[in-house]
Amino acid sequence: MQVSAAPQNRWGRNWVFILAVAGSTIGLGNVWKFPHLVSENGGGAFLIVYLLCVVLLGAPMMMAELALGRAAHASPIQAIRFAAQENGASKHWALIAITSLLTGFLVFAFYSVVSSWVLAYFFASAAGGLEEAGSQSLEASFAALLYDPLALLIWHSAFVVLVAGVLFKGVRGLDHSIRVLMPALLVLIVFYLIILSFYGNWRAGVEYLRVIDFSTISLSSVITALSHAFFTLSLGLGVLLAYGRYLPDKTDIGQSVMLILLIDAVVGVAFGVLVFGFIEADMVSSSRGPGLLFVSLPFSFDTIGAGNWLAAGFFLMVTIAVWTSTVALLEPLVQATEDTMNCSRRTAVTLVSLMVWAVGVFALLSFNVMESWRIAGMTVFDLLDFVSAKILLPVTALLLVVFVGWQLKPAFLQQALATKPWLFHVWRWLIRFFVPVLLMLIVSSSLNSRF
Ligand code: PHE
């Protein structure tokens, strides 16, 4: 069942692979969710809990998904089928791949809509459109964008075209884009840290992490940290299966994952420092999500002077972050379409892009024309978020770890991971016992919070 072992179907360099996965992990989760969560949940104490979740849940799951993708060198559905076949398990386990692709599809629909706002703000600020806008008018212009279906449609379409453009040429195109985009992202982050030390409040940026208050850590903050680790590490959506497919057989997956997690954590903290350094702390906790990015940040750049340029650079940085995340989200769907329909890469990219574009249109209309449409009390946008990120995602992941931990043979896994024996044993123990329990916690808390 192994497919296309040709070297042109592999990442050109291991560091490109590492940056590609890091690129999928660094996104809105780091930019607007993480700083808010930290400030709400005990500062540095939450960071410590979060890092534990990353090591104990994120690392083992990431290793498992990459290993499965590489073992088969095939698309996510075929990869699970291959592992099941090699280990004498039922071929129905391939269902995991199908639910993860479906989840990725739904996540893309709402994620790409927000990403297109970022793109719109990049162009608006570069064109000088945010000049001398006070916080009130910034709020008004953001609301105006959300109420303008035509503008949203144009930006949404533009963003989907950008994503499709990277995917068109397969792993070669991906590889080449990552070589440019990720270094640019990292340089921009460093640049903004330097700007912060001159014009912002560097102290406030670092201070939020220095407050280590364990008294605010409760079971619910642990679950919050777990779910966040889950989403930000792009787990359970077939992304890592799809990227693992292009990995050469000898690469030590354990070692690569450590590096990826390190990059993601450092960038996460850097974004936190930037957000708290540029924005007053009480505004961070009150204006979470969109308000933080589209109102508070441009406002504080405005007060420094050179508001448009600083805002443009910042939105460029976030555009790159969401671009590399959404490309990763679509790759598994493209691979699966290519395989199941037996069509060319180009046809698969076009088909998948058109489908996600169409669902995205419903999500963006839920801010205006379809605002009053509610299903179970939620708009289409909120429903997509809830069903995909809160329900399907953890359930799929739970099935995946049960499959890997309890259905696959150690010899198969050891070869698939190609990592050090001690790491393999720790990993296997975590994936069999620890990770499933954590995932059950996430699933039951999501269900409780809603029903
Ligand atoms: N990890 C990305 C973020 O933190 C989101 C994402 C999830 C991207 C799943 C790809 C796959 O924003």
Side-chain angles (χ1 to χ4, degrees):
M1 155 101 67
Q2 289 212 347
V3 178
S4 61
Q8 66 268 28
N9 279 327
R10 299 285 180 272
W11 298 105
R13 291 257 182 281
N14 197 39
W15 63 263
V16 181
F17 156 72
I18 289 173
L19 286 185
V21 180
S24 95
T25 67
I26 300 164
L28 290 172
N30 307 62
V31 181
W32 81 21
K33 196 119 181 262
F34 187 67
H36 172 78
L37 289 179
V38 170
S39 81
E40 290 288 275
N41 291 284
F46 183 80
L47 180 68
I48 294 169
V49 174
Y50 167 75
L51 289 178
L52 278 173
C53 296
V54 166
V55 173
L56 298 176
L57 172 111
M61 278 216 56
M62 200 178 248
M63 286 168 68
E65 289 192 34
L66 288 171
L68 287 183
R70 175 174 63 187
H73 288 302
S75 76
I77 302 177
Q78 283 192 351
I80 305 277
R81 234 184 243 151
F82 173 75
Q85 200 178 350
E86 292 285 294
N87 292 271
S90 158
K91 63 176 191 310
H92 297 306
W93 283 104
L95 186 70
I96 304 173
I98 297 172
T99 57
S100 61
L101 292 175
L102 173 71
T103 318
F105 181 76
L106 299 177
V107 169
F108 186 94
F110 73 85
Y111 199 95
S112 66
V113 168
V114 181
S115 305
S116 66
W117 305 342
V118 178
L119 185 66
Y121 265 67
F122 163 60
F123 279 101
S125 41
L130 298 181
E131 197 100 69
E132 284 165 28
S135 89
Q136 296 260 305
S137 65
L138 278 167
E139 230 173 293
S141 48
F142 181 53
L145 174 69
L146 295 193
Y147 275 111
D148 185 346
L150 189 65
L152 289 184
L153 194 67
I154 293 171
W155 289 114
H156 172 60
S157 312
F159 189 75
V160 172
V161 168
L162 275 186
V163 175
V166 170
L167 291 171
F168 237 51
K169 291 213 177 116
V171 68
R172 285 296 95 210
L174 254 174
D175 186 296
H176 288 145
S177 314
I178 292 295
R179 281 171 200 250
V180 178
L181 292 175
M182 287 308 287
L185 175 66
L186 299 175
V187 167
L188 277 165
I189 293 174
V190 172
F191 172 75
Y192 274 86
L193 287 171
I194 296 171
I195 295 283
L196 177 71
S197 64
F198 283 109
Y199 298 104
N201 190 348
W202 177 266
R203 237 163 205 279
V206 183
E207 196 61 32
Y208 86 105
L209 287 175
R210 290 213 352 232
V211 189
I212 298 187
D213 181 5
F214 272 103
S215 69
T216 55
I217 297 290
S218 59
L219 181 63
S220 99
S221 41
V222 174
I223 292 175
T224 306
L226 273 173
S227 332
H228 181 67
F230 211 81
F231 185 74
T232 194
L233 296 178
S234 315
L235 302 172
L237 298 175
V239 169
L240 301 157
L241 287 167
Y243 276 10
R245 170 190 191 165
Y246 303 131
L247 206 51
D249 290 322
K250 293 277 174 307
T251 313
D252 178 336
I253 288 187
Q255 229 169 44
S256 308
V257 166
M258 300 305 150
L259 263 170
I260 293 162
L261 296 180
L262 186 72
I263 298 175
D264 183 62
V266 171
V267 170
V269 170
F271 270 118
V273 170
L274 289 178
V275 167
F276 280 89
F278 281 119
I279 302 175
E280 306 257 324
D282 48 337
M283 255 166 119
V284 178
S285 19
S286 60
S287 67
R288 67 158 149 173
L292 187 84
L293 194 55
F294 299 108
V295 180
S296 308
L297 266 170
F299 179 65
S300 68
F301 290 139
D302 213 23
T303 39
I304 298 170
N308 274 315
W309 283 112
L310 286 178
F314 201 90
F315 285 115
L316 176 64
M317 175 165 82
V318 183
T319 300
I320 298 176
V322 291
W323 193 1
T324 49
S325 288
T326 39
V327 160
L329 260 173
L330 229 49
E331 172 67 22
L333 285 159
V334 170
Q335 289 188 8
T337 310
E338 234 180 318
D339 279 2
T340 43
M341 298 188 51
N342 209 1
C343 60
S344 72
R345 176 86 185 181
R346 277 161 192 259
T347 314
V349 173
T350 314
L351 271 176
V352 171
S353 309
L354 278 173
M355 284 194 309
V356 289
W357 175 84
V359 181
V361 170
F362 281 99
L364 66 86
L365 290 180
S366 73
F367 289 94
N368 36 70
V369 183
M370 285 167 46
E371 202 189 7
S372 56
W373 288 33
R374 299 282 145 127
I375 304 164
M378 290 176 269
T379 62
V380 175
F381 183 88
D382 291 338
L383 188 73
L384 283 172
D385 180 13
F386 175 70
V387 173
S388 57
K390 302 267 162 39
I391 307 282
L392 281 173
L393 188 52
V395 171
T396 308
L398 186 56
L399 290 174
L400 187 81
V401 290
V402 171
F403 175 64
V404 173
W406 297 90
Q407 297 285 312
L408 305 186
K409 300 192 181 99
F412 173 85
L413 292 169
Q414 206 152 14
Q415 197 192 359
L417 281 165
T419 198
K420 310 207 170 27
W422 70 266
L423 188 57
F424 174 73
H425 291 297
V426 177
W427 170 83
R428 188 140 187 274
W429 187 85
L430 287 170
I431 221 77
R432 280 165 75 87
F433 302 105
F434 199 74
V435 178
V437 174
L438 290 186
L439 287 172
M440 280 188 235
L441 258 178
I442 302 186
V443 174
S444 62
S445 108
S446 314
L447 290 175
N448 275 342
S449 71
R450 194 70 216 177
F451 301 112

